[in-house]
Amino acid sequence: MTLIVAAVFLIPPLSSSAAGKEIQIPYSSRKDIPRDYKWNLNDIYPTKKAWESDIKKAECLAVRFKKKFQGSLDKSPVHMKKALEAYTELSRIEEKAYVYINLELSTDESDHHIQALANRADIMSAKVSEHTAWFSPEVGKIQESTMKKYLNHPDLKIYKNFLADIAHSKSHILSKEKEELLAKVSPLSGTAQNVYSMLSKDIKFPSIMDERGKEVQLNRVNFSTYMESPDRTVRKAAYEAYYATLAKFQDSFASVMSAQVKSHNISADVRNYKSAIEAALNPDHIPVKVYEELLTSVHKGLPQLHRYMEIKKKMLKVNELHMYDISTPINERNSSYIPYEEARKMVIEGLKPLGLEYGSILKKAFNDNWVDVYSTEAKRTGAFQWGAYDSHPFVLLNYQGTKNDVSTLAHELGHAVHAYYSKQAQTYINSGNPTFTAEVASTLNENLLWESEYKKAKTKEEKIFLLNQRLEDFRTTLFRQAQFAEFEKNIHELDAEGKSINAETLKKIYGDINNKYYGSAIARDEQIPMEWARIPHLYDYDFYVYQYATSFAASQALAQQIQDEGKPAVKRLKEKFLKAGGSSDPISILKNTGIDMSTSKPIDEAMQVFKETLDELEKLLSKE
């Protein structure tokens, strides 16, 4: 069991990025960026010396924890409480030190000194895991009668959910010796992710000509932007150049993917799970049927996605619709650069339905340097929210002034405020927000921001633009993440059957799924089967992306509640959801808001909203 409970919450990978103009990056180097646009990590540690002190302290506490408590957890409730308090103290220090240095690394991944310090944190974390690996097995072996007393003892009330989770996974906890062995080799589990990250960073892409006839260097950051260029020649050039470059490294990417999949399947087998999906979902009490019903419901909705592609084809006035066409807006409104200060105002205004208190936390985030805004060459791509229990949340952006960047800001602040509420309301051990619920908070913000913009729209053109944006949100978050989830499921099953995972196999599987999702309106591009090589989350985590889709559906339902009920729904959202943290399992937390994700109903209802949005778009188009 890992001690670090603070999760990195990222924007869904490779969603469209509303552009069409020349990319504007205000600052060429990090030192040129004003302090107001950079987070302040001194809020966690004032000096590296203080950080190093906690690194050493965590290692010492881990040794002391094992020496003092191993073999005695069934002694008494009082003794168990002391053990859990020591475990919590150790975990908080480890988490704080680990988060701090990795946040710093994310702003400059080329800094060799910070790389070395991050490696030091990895070593510390591995040592802590090694000296605490016995803990869960020993808790799991406590006699049922004794555990029952512990779960009902008033002194252990705040640890009840934590202990119940271990009891829930009891049959999958190994012996002390095996857990210690796995802890020793745990640093290897991140190898595939690290290799993928380095490989992706080191690949150099060719130059293309942009909309102004200027030669520009294609890279991981600007590729998605050029996919929304209004100039089809630019889109095609970027698309073909990017995937042709990836194809040169297809065997390397496939080897990394194969290693990642094998590690998941081996771990699941060792821990006596039926599948890698079950191993990934079980710790959060998520039934495998939730994953399966998501795919089933999405498959039922594919005719509507095909319909959307047909509409897009007509609106773009192309004889053939290619994958490099589908991210471009159907009109060019709002494609101009949006200053960050304006984006802040848009987010605060759009999230007003969540109340004054929520708004005050947003302002605190902006005023107290929670957000690292602008991209620089060595900064980690994408966006995320992260933080320790003993720090405020931190949000990383790569802001380029696009409409999608405004949505990304709202998304990551959804994570940040959720974390802020959870840490305020819950003890450390219950403060972590599982991804399954965390992504609901973030996509809810995107939904409310869209609703705010649509209500303000006065012209037909504005409404068409915004309706297309909403349809794109559905496509990239519900359909696209389900598509990734289906691919992930298929390749894990392929490996479990003893079949080879190689580049040609991966391309065949991915290409077939892509054809199924997008239908006959899309031309069969030879490049798209390589897209699996640029989906970071397939290398970072196991069975993570499906949660974007389920959360998107849940957030649609919550937004509807807020629209229908107003303040009562907001109060319920705050008290029953945003403050819940990890005090219960994700399915139960959402049920407390009136949303049952153990059924297909939320997905089916989201599909209906997608259909109604399509209907509205077609109605407006028919008036032209």
Side-chain angles (χ1 to χ4, degrees), residues 279-316:
L281 273 59
N282 182 71
D284 285 333
H285 303 258
I286 308 293
V288 174
K289 72 171 186 175
V290 171
Y291 199 104
E292 295 170 342
E293 286 182 351
L294 166 67
L295 298 183
T296 299
S297 294
V298 168
H299 288 167
K300 288 189 296 184
L302 288 180
Q304 297 302 323
L305 180 60
H306 300 166
R307 176 186 164 204
Y308 175 42
M309 292 298 100
E310 292 286 356
I311 293 172
K312 196 142 201 175
K313 181 179 179 181
K314 292 177 182 177
M315 294 201 68
L316 293 175

mmCIF file of all heavy atoms in Angstrom, residues 279-316:
data_model
loop_
_atom_site.group_PDB
_atom_site.id
_atom_site.type_symbol
_atom_site.label_atom_id
_atom_site.label_comp_id
_atom_site.label_asym_id
_atom_site.label_seq_id
_atom_site.Cartn_x
_atom_site.Cartn_y
_atom_site.Cartn_z
ATOM 1 N N ALA A 279 -8.212 -5.509 -10.688
ATOM 2 C CA ALA A 279 -7.160 -5.071 -9.769
ATOM 3 C C ALA A 279 -7.112 -3.553 -9.661
ATOM 4 O O ALA A 279 -6.859 -3.006 -8.591
ATOM 5 C CB ALA A 279 -5.810 -5.600 -10.246
ATOM 6 N N ALA A 280 -7.375 -2.865 -10.768
ATOM 7 C CA ALA A 280 -7.331 -1.404 -10.770
ATOM 8 C C ALA A 280 -8.555 -0.794 -10.103
ATOM 9 O O ALA A 280 -8.460 0.237 -9.433
ATOM 10 C CB ALA A 280 -7.203 -0.893 -12.202
ATOM 11 N N LEU A 281 -9.715 -1.422 -10.270
ATOM 12 C CA LEU A 281 -10.963 -0.843 -9.789
ATOM 13 C C LEU A 281 -11.314 -1.259 -8.358
ATOM 14 O O LEU A 281 -11.969 -0.497 -7.632
ATOM 15 C CB LEU A 281 -12.117 -1.244 -10.719
ATOM 16 C CG LEU A 281 -12.374 -0.340 -11.933
ATOM 17 C CD1 LEU A 281 -11.157 -0.244 -12.837
ATOM 18 C CD2 LEU A 281 -13.568 -0.854 -12.738
ATOM 19 N N ASN A 282 -10.896 -2.438 -7.952
ATOM 20 C CA ASN A 282 -11.321 -2.985 -6.666
ATOM 21 C C ASN A 282 -10.944 -2.134 -5.452
ATOM 22 O O ASN A 282 -11.766 -1.975 -4.530
ATOM 23 C CB ASN A 282 -10.756 -4.397 -6.490
ATOM 24 C CG ASN A 282 -11.197 -5.042 -5.185
ATOM 25 O OD1 ASN A 282 -12.350 -5.402 -4.998
ATOM 26 N ND2 ASN A 282 -10.259 -5.180 -4.256
ATOM 27 N N PRO A 283 -9.729 -1.559 -5.384
ATOM 28 C CA PRO A 283 -9.382 -0.772 -4.195
ATOM 29 C C PRO A 283 -10.345 0.379 -3.919
ATOM 30 O O PRO A 283 -10.519 0.775 -2.761
ATOM 31 C CB PRO A 283 -7.973 -0.255 -4.520
ATOM 32 C CG PRO A 283 -7.413 -1.297 -5.434
ATOM 33 C CD PRO A 283 -8.566 -1.730 -6.276
ATOM 34 N N ASP A 284 -10.976 0.914 -4.957
ATOM 35 C CA ASP A 284 -11.951 1.992 -4.781
ATOM 36 C C ASP A 284 -13.384 1.480 -4.757
ATOM 37 O O ASP A 284 -14.330 2.265 -4.867
ATOM 38 C CB ASP A 284 -11.803 3.038 -5.896
ATOM 39 C CG ASP A 284 -10.598 3.920 -5.709
ATOM 40 O OD1 ASP A 284 -10.176 4.103 -4.550
ATOM 41 O OD2 ASP A 284 -10.062 4.436 -6.710
ATOM 42 N N HIS A 285 -13.551 0.172 -4.628
ATOM 43 C CA HIS A 285 -14.879 -0.453 -4.554
ATOM 44 C C HIS A 285 -15.699 -0.196 -5.831
ATOM 45 O O HIS A 285 -16.929 -0.092 -5.762
ATOM 46 C CB HIS A 285 -15.672 0.061 -3.341
ATOM 47 C CG HIS A 285 -14.990 -0.138 -2.024
ATOM 48 N ND1 HIS A 285 -15.321 -1.141 -1.139
ATOM 49 C CD2 HIS A 285 -13.959 0.536 -1.429
ATOM 50 C CE1 HIS A 285 -14.556 -1.071 -0.066
ATOM 51 N NE2 HIS A 285 -13.710 -0.063 -0.229
ATOM 52 N N ILE A 286 -15.039 -0.077 -6.961
ATOM 53 C CA ILE A 286 -15.733 0.130 -8.234
ATOM 54 C C ILE A 286 -15.945 -1.224 -8.890
ATOM 55 O O ILE A 286 -14.968 -1.905 -9.232
ATOM 56 C CB ILE A 286 -14.932 1.037 -9.191
ATOM 57 C CG1 ILE A 286 -14.533 2.338 -8.502
ATOM 58 C CG2 ILE A 286 -15.726 1.301 -10.465
ATOM 59 C CD1 ILE A 286 -15.666 3.248 -8.153
ATOM 60 N N PRO A 287 -17.172 -1.661 -9.085
ATOM 61 C CA PRO A 287 -17.404 -2.945 -9.752
ATOM 62 C C PRO A 287 -16.942 -2.892 -11.208
ATOM 63 O O PRO A 287 -17.046 -1.848 -11.872
ATOM 64 C CB PRO A 287 -18.935 -3.112 -9.682
ATOM 65 C CG PRO A 287 -19.394 -2.149 -8.635
ATOM 66 C CD PRO A 287 -18.422 -1.021 -8.656
ATOM 67 N N VAL A 288 -16.438 -3.994 -11.715
ATOM 68 C CA VAL A 288 -15.990 -4.056 -13.106
ATOM 69 C C VAL A 288 -17.149 -3.754 -14.057
ATOM 70 O O VAL A 288 -16.945 -3.225 -15.153
ATOM 71 C CB VAL A 288 -15.376 -5.436 -13.414
ATOM 72 C CG1 VAL A 288 -15.041 -5.574 -14.905
ATOM 73 C CG2 VAL A 288 -14.112 -5.652 -12.583
ATOM 74 N N LYS A 289 -18.374 -4.037 -13.619
ATOM 75 C CA LYS A 289 -19.526 -3.792 -14.486
ATOM 76 C C LYS A 289 -19.684 -2.305 -14.818
ATOM 77 O O LYS A 289 -20.273 -1.958 -15.843
ATOM 78 C CB LYS A 289 -20.816 -4.335 -13.859
ATOM 79 C CG LYS A 289 -21.345 -3.548 -12.681
ATOM 80 C CD LYS A 289 -22.735 -4.032 -12.283
ATOM 81 C CE LYS A 289 -23.335 -3.141 -11.187
ATOM 82 N NZ LYS A 289 -24.728 -3.512 -10.857
ATOM 83 N N VAL A 290 -19.160 -1.409 -13.963
ATOM 84 C CA VAL A 290 -19.217 0.026 -14.258
ATOM 85 C C VAL A 290 -18.420 0.314 -15.527
ATOM 86 O O VAL A 290 -18.859 1.071 -16.403
ATOM 87 C CB VAL A 290 -18.674 0.852 -13.071
ATOM 88 C CG1 VAL A 290 -18.517 2.318 -13.451
ATOM 89 C CG2 VAL A 290 -19.591 0.715 -11.863
ATOM 90 N N TYR A 291 -17.248 -0.291 -15.631
ATOM 91 C CA TYR A 291 -16.393 -0.141 -16.812
ATOM 92 C C TYR A 291 -17.094 -0.722 -18.036
ATOM 93 O O TYR A 291 -17.155 -0.097 -19.102
ATOM 94 C CB TYR A 291 -15.086 -0.888 -16.557
ATOM 95 C CG TYR A 291 -13.918 -0.511 -17.431
ATOM 96 C CD1 TYR A 291 -12.887 0.286 -16.944
ATOM 97 C CD2 TYR A 291 -13.797 -0.983 -18.734
ATOM 98 C CE1 TYR A 291 -11.781 0.610 -17.719
ATOM 99 C CE2 TYR A 291 -12.703 -0.661 -19.523
ATOM 100 C CZ TYR A 291 -11.694 0.143 -19.004
ATOM 101 O OH TYR A 291 -10.602 0.462 -19.789
ATOM 102 N N GLU A 292 -17.646 -1.923 -17.856
ATOM 103 C CA GLU A 292 -18.285 -2.612 -18.982
ATOM 104 C C GLU A 292 -19.553 -1.892 -19.438
ATOM 105 O O GLU A 292 -19.818 -1.777 -20.643
ATOM 106 C CB GLU A 292 -18.599 -4.052 -18.577
ATOM 107 C CG GLU A 292 -17.334 -4.883 -18.317
ATOM 108 C CD GLU A 292 -17.631 -6.227 -17.678
ATOM 109 O OE1 GLU A 292 -18.760 -6.377 -17.120
ATOM 110 O OE2 GLU A 292 -16.755 -7.112 -17.711
ATOM 111 N N GLU A 293 -20.345 -1.394 -18.483
ATOM 112 C CA GLU A 293 -21.582 -0.695 -18.843
ATOM 113 C C GLU A 293 -21.290 0.642 -19.516
ATOM 114 O O GLU A 293 -22.063 1.094 -20.362
ATOM 115 C CB GLU A 293 -22.452 -0.488 -17.598
ATOM 116 C CG GLU A 293 -23.129 -1.775 -17.124
ATOM 117 C CD GLU A 293 -24.026 -1.549 -15.923
ATOM 118 O OE1 GLU A 293 -23.991 -0.433 -15.355
ATOM 119 O OE2 GLU A 293 -24.741 -2.483 -15.546
ATOM 120 N N LEU A 294 -20.172 1.265 -19.145
ATOM 121 C CA LEU A 294 -19.767 2.492 -19.836
ATOM 122 C C LEU A 294 -19.588 2.209 -21.326
ATOM 123 O O LEU A 294 -20.135 2.919 -22.179
ATOM 124 C CB LEU A 294 -18.463 3.021 -19.251
ATOM 125 C CG LEU A 294 -17.750 4.094 -20.093
ATOM 126 C CD1 LEU A 294 -18.567 5.381 -20.150
ATOM 127 C CD2 LEU A 294 -16.345 4.368 -19.556
ATOM 128 N N LEU A 295 -18.829 1.170 -21.636
ATOM 129 C CA LEU A 295 -18.565 0.851 -23.041
ATOM 130 C C LEU A 295 -19.847 0.457 -23.764
ATOM 131 O O LEU A 295 -20.081 0.867 -24.907
ATOM 132 C CB LEU A 295 -17.528 -0.272 -23.140
ATOM 133 C CG LEU A 295 -16.137 0.043 -22.558
ATOM 134 C CD1 LEU A 295 -15.186 -1.125 -22.777
ATOM 135 C CD2 LEU A 295 -15.559 1.314 -23.169
ATOM 136 N N THR A 296 -20.702 -0.306 -23.089
ATOM 137 C CA THR A 296 -21.972 -0.715 -23.702
ATOM 138 C C THR A 296 -22.847 0.497 -24.013
ATOM 139 O O THR A 296 -23.418 0.608 -25.103
ATOM 140 C CB THR A 296 -22.734 -1.679 -22.768
ATOM 141 O OG1 THR A 296 -21.935 -2.855 -22.558
ATOM 142 C CG2 THR A 296 -24.060 -2.095 -23.385
ATOM 143 N N SER A 297 -22.959 1.416 -23.064
ATOM 144 C CA SER A 297 -23.793 2.607 -23.256
ATOM 145 C C SER A 297 -23.218 3.516 -24.341
ATOM 146 O O SER A 297 -23.959 4.081 -25.142
ATOM 147 C CB SER A 297 -23.922 3.386 -21.944
ATOM 148 O OG SER A 297 -24.638 2.638 -20.985
ATOM 149 N N VAL A 298 -21.899 3.644 -24.359
ATOM 150 C CA VAL A 298 -21.265 4.465 -25.385
ATOM 151 C C VAL A 298 -21.478 3.844 -26.766
ATOM 152 O O VAL A 298 -21.745 4.561 -27.739
ATOM 153 C CB VAL A 298 -19.760 4.654 -25.089
ATOM 154 C CG1 VAL A 298 -19.033 5.257 -26.288
ATOM 155 C CG2 VAL A 298 -19.575 5.555 -23.869
ATOM 156 N N HIS A 299 -21.383 2.540 -26.847
ATOM 157 C CA HIS A 299 -21.624 1.879 -28.136
ATOM 158 C C HIS A 299 -23.042 2.172 -28.639
ATOM 159 O O HIS A 299 -23.247 2.406 -29.835
ATOM 160 C CB HIS A 299 -21.427 0.370 -27.996
ATOM 161 C CG HIS A 299 -19.995 -0.039 -27.833
ATOM 162 N ND1 HIS A 299 -19.620 -1.294 -27.428
ATOM 163 C CD2 HIS A 299 -18.843 0.662 -28.006
ATOM 164 C CE1 HIS A 299 -18.309 -1.364 -27.371
ATOM 165 N NE2 HIS A 299 -17.812 -0.189 -27.704
ATOM 166 N N LYS A 300 -23.994 2.197 -27.714
ATOM 167 C CA LYS A 300 -25.377 2.508 -28.113
ATOM 168 C C LYS A 300 -25.500 3.941 -28.629
ATOM 169 O O LYS A 300 -26.375 4.247 -29.438
ATOM 170 C CB LYS A 300 -26.328 2.292 -26.929
ATOM 171 C CG LYS A 300 -26.565 0.824 -26.573
ATOM 172 C CD LYS A 300 -27.673 0.660 -25.547
ATOM 173 C CE LYS A 300 -27.346 1.294 -24.226
ATOM 174 N NZ LYS A 300 -28.390 1.048 -23.188
ATOM 175 N N GLY A 301 -24.608 4.810 -28.137
ATOM 176 C CA GLY A 301 -24.657 6.212 -28.545
ATOM 177 C C GLY A 301 -23.821 6.537 -29.771
ATOM 178 O O GLY A 301 -23.840 7.689 -30.243
ATOM 179 N N LEU A 302 -23.110 5.568 -30.312
ATOM 180 C CA LEU A 302 -22.233 5.841 -31.454
ATOM 181 C C LEU A 302 -22.971 6.365 -32.691
ATOM 182 O O LEU A 302 -22.408 7.208 -33.414
ATOM 183 C CB LEU A 302 -21.416 4.595 -31.813
ATOM 184 C CG LEU A 302 -20.296 4.227 -30.828
ATOM 185 C CD1 LEU A 302 -19.565 2.971 -31.289
ATOM 186 C CD2 LEU A 302 -19.304 5.381 -30.671
ATOM 187 N N PRO A 303 -24.205 5.926 -32.964
ATOM 188 C CA PRO A 303 -24.912 6.526 -34.111
ATOM 189 C C PRO A 303 -25.035 8.051 -34.015
ATOM 190 O O PRO A 303 -25.006 8.739 -35.038
ATOM 191 C CB PRO A 303 -26.279 5.841 -34.063
ATOM 192 C CG PRO A 303 -25.995 4.501 -33.455
ATOM 193 C CD PRO A 303 -24.950 4.781 -32.416
ATOM 194 N N GLN A 304 -25.162 8.581 -32.796
ATOM 195 C CA GLN A 304 -25.234 10.032 -32.634
ATOM 196 C C GLN A 304 -23.875 10.683 -32.911
ATOM 197 O O GLN A 304 -23.810 11.789 -33.465
ATOM 198 C CB GLN A 304 -25.716 10.386 -31.223
ATOM 199 C CG GLN A 304 -27.121 9.915 -30.905
ATOM 200 C CD GLN A 304 -28.148 10.469 -31.878
ATOM 201 O OE1 GLN A 304 -28.059 11.615 -32.326
ATOM 202 N NE2 GLN A 304 -29.137 9.642 -32.217
ATOM 203 N N LEU A 305 -22.781 10.002 -32.532
ATOM 204 C CA LEU A 305 -21.453 10.512 -32.858
ATOM 205 C C LEU A 305 -21.242 10.494 -34.371
ATOM 206 O O LEU A 305 -20.686 11.439 -34.937
ATOM 207 C CB LEU A 305 -20.366 9.691 -32.161
ATOM 208 C CG LEU A 305 -18.915 10.127 -32.416
ATOM 209 C CD1 LEU A 305 -18.695 11.566 -31.959
ATOM 210 C CD2 LEU A 305 -17.934 9.189 -31.719
ATOM 211 N N HIS A 306 -21.704 9.430 -35.019
ATOM 212 C CA HIS A 306 -21.603 9.363 -36.477
ATOM 213 C C HIS A 306 -22.414 10.495 -37.119
ATOM 214 O O HIS A 306 -21.971 11.115 -38.097
ATOM 215 C CB HIS A 306 -22.134 8.005 -36.973
ATOM 216 C CG HIS A 306 -21.392 6.836 -36.432
ATOM 217 N ND1 HIS A 306 -21.866 5.543 -36.529
ATOM 218 C CD2 HIS A 306 -20.195 6.755 -35.774
ATOM 219 C CE1 HIS A 306 -21.004 4.725 -35.960
ATOM 220 N NE2 HIS A 306 -19.992 5.434 -35.487
ATOM 221 N N ARG A 307 -23.565 10.777 -36.539
ATOM 222 C CA ARG A 307 -24.407 11.872 -37.023
ATOM 223 C C ARG A 307 -23.676 13.209 -36.893
ATOM 224 O O ARG A 307 -23.712 14.049 -37.808
ATOM 225 C CB ARG A 307 -25.708 11.883 -36.228
ATOM 226 C CG ARG A 307 -26.667 13.019 -36.536
ATOM 227 C CD ARG A 307 -27.832 12.948 -35.563
ATOM 228 N NE ARG A 307 -28.600 14.179 -35.537
ATOM 229 C CZ ARG A 307 -29.347 14.578 -34.508
ATOM 230 N NH1 ARG A 307 -29.410 13.832 -33.412
ATOM 231 N NH2 ARG A 307 -30.036 15.709 -34.567
ATOM 232 N N TYR A 308 -22.989 13.392 -35.771
ATOM 233 C CA TYR A 308 -22.226 14.612 -35.556
ATOM 234 C C TYR A 308 -21.131 14.752 -36.606
ATOM 235 O O TYR A 308 -20.873 15.842 -37.130
ATOM 236 C CB TYR A 308 -21.636 14.599 -34.141
ATOM 237 C CG TYR A 308 -20.714 15.746 -33.813
ATOM 238 C CD1 TYR A 308 -21.012 17.046 -34.216
ATOM 239 C CD2 TYR A 308 -19.540 15.535 -33.080
ATOM 240 C CE1 TYR A 308 -20.154 18.109 -33.895
ATOM 241 C CE2 TYR A 308 -18.690 16.585 -32.757
ATOM 242 C CZ TYR A 308 -19.005 17.861 -33.182
ATOM 243 O OH TYR A 308 -18.164 18.904 -32.878
ATOM 244 N N MET A 309 -20.481 13.649 -36.927
ATOM 245 C CA MET A 309 -19.429 13.697 -37.938
ATOM 246 C C MET A 309 -20.002 14.074 -39.307
ATOM 247 O O MET A 309 -19.372 14.817 -40.076
ATOM 248 C CB MET A 309 -18.717 12.345 -38.020
ATOM 249 C CG MET A 309 -17.879 11.993 -36.783
ATOM 250 S SD MET A 309 -16.519 13.163 -36.467
ATOM 251 C CE MET A 309 -17.230 14.183 -35.168
ATOM 252 N N GLU A 310 -21.184 13.592 -39.618
ATOM 253 C CA GLU A 310 -21.824 13.943 -40.891
ATOM 254 C C GLU A 310 -22.141 15.442 -40.936
ATOM 255 O O GLU A 310 -21.953 16.113 -41.958
ATOM 256 C CB GLU A 310 -23.107 13.128 -41.081
ATOM 257 C CG GLU A 310 -22.898 11.639 -41.287
ATOM 258 C CD GLU A 310 -22.349 11.302 -42.670
ATOM 259 O OE1 GLU A 310 -22.189 12.225 -43.505
ATOM 260 O OE2 GLU A 310 -22.074 10.117 -42.917
ATOM 261 N N ILE A 311 -22.638 15.964 -39.806
ATOM 262 C CA ILE A 311 -22.928 17.404 -39.723
ATOM 263 C C ILE A 311 -21.645 18.210 -39.898
ATOM 264 O O ILE A 311 -21.606 19.209 -40.622
ATOM 265 C CB ILE A 311 -23.601 17.743 -38.375
ATOM 266 C CG1 ILE A 311 -24.992 17.110 -38.297
ATOM 267 C CG2 ILE A 311 -23.692 19.258 -38.178
ATOM 268 C CD1 ILE A 311 -25.631 17.232 -36.931
ATOM 269 N N LYS A 312 -20.589 17.768 -39.241
ATOM 270 C CA LYS A 312 -19.327 18.492 -39.321
ATOM 271 C C LYS A 312 -18.799 18.479 -40.753
ATOM 272 O O LYS A 312 -18.257 19.486 -41.244
ATOM 273 C CB LYS A 312 -18.313 17.869 -38.364
ATOM 274 C CG LYS A 312 -17.117 18.751 -38.092
ATOM 275 C CD LYS A 312 -16.692 18.631 -36.639
ATOM 276 C CE LYS A 312 -15.887 19.833 -36.217
ATOM 277 N NZ LYS A 312 -15.547 19.852 -34.807
ATOM 278 N N LYS A 313 -18.940 17.351 -41.409
ATOM 279 C CA LYS A 313 -18.491 17.225 -42.797
ATOM 280 C C LYS A 313 -19.198 18.246 -43.692
ATOM 281 O O LYS A 313 -18.576 18.921 -44.520
ATOM 282 C CB LYS A 313 -18.746 15.810 -43.295
ATOM 283 C CG LYS A 313 -18.298 15.532 -44.719
ATOM 284 C CD LYS A 313 -18.585 14.088 -45.088
ATOM 285 C CE LYS A 313 -18.171 13.784 -46.518
ATOM 286 N NZ LYS A 313 -18.472 12.364 -46.873
ATOM 287 N N LYS A 314 -20.499 18.385 -43.494
ATOM 288 C CA LYS A 314 -21.276 19.339 -44.298
ATOM 289 C C LYS A 314 -20.875 20.773 -43.985
ATOM 290 O O LYS A 314 -20.732 21.609 -44.870
ATOM 291 C CB LYS A 314 -22.769 19.140 -44.040
ATOM 292 C CG LYS A 314 -23.325 17.826 -44.573
ATOM 293 C CD LYS A 314 -24.802 17.682 -44.211
ATOM 294 C CE LYS A 314 -25.347 16.340 -44.696
ATOM 295 N NZ LYS A 314 -26.771 16.147 -44.302
ATOM 296 N N MET A 315 -20.699 21.065 -42.697
ATOM 297 C CA MET A 315 -20.383 22.431 -42.301
ATOM 298 C C MET A 315 -18.985 22.854 -42.751
ATOM 299 O O MET A 315 -18.749 24.017 -43.064
ATOM 300 C CB MET A 315 -20.526 22.586 -40.793
ATOM 301 C CG MET A 315 -21.952 22.435 -40.303
ATOM 302 S SD MET A 315 -22.167 23.192 -38.699
ATOM 303 C CE MET A 315 -21.960 24.915 -39.104
ATOM 304 N N LEU A 316 -18.068 21.919 -42.776
ATOM 305 C CA LEU A 316 -16.725 22.234 -43.235
ATOM 306 C C LEU A 316 -16.619 22.232 -44.753
ATOM 307 O O LEU A 316 -15.592 22.619 -45.316
ATOM 308 C CB LEU A 316 -15.714 21.238 -42.635
ATOM 309 C CG LEU A 316 -15.505 21.322 -41.123
ATOM 310 C CD1 LEU A 316 -14.582 20.202 -40.642
ATOM 311 C CD2 LEU A 316 -14.925 22.680 -40.732
#
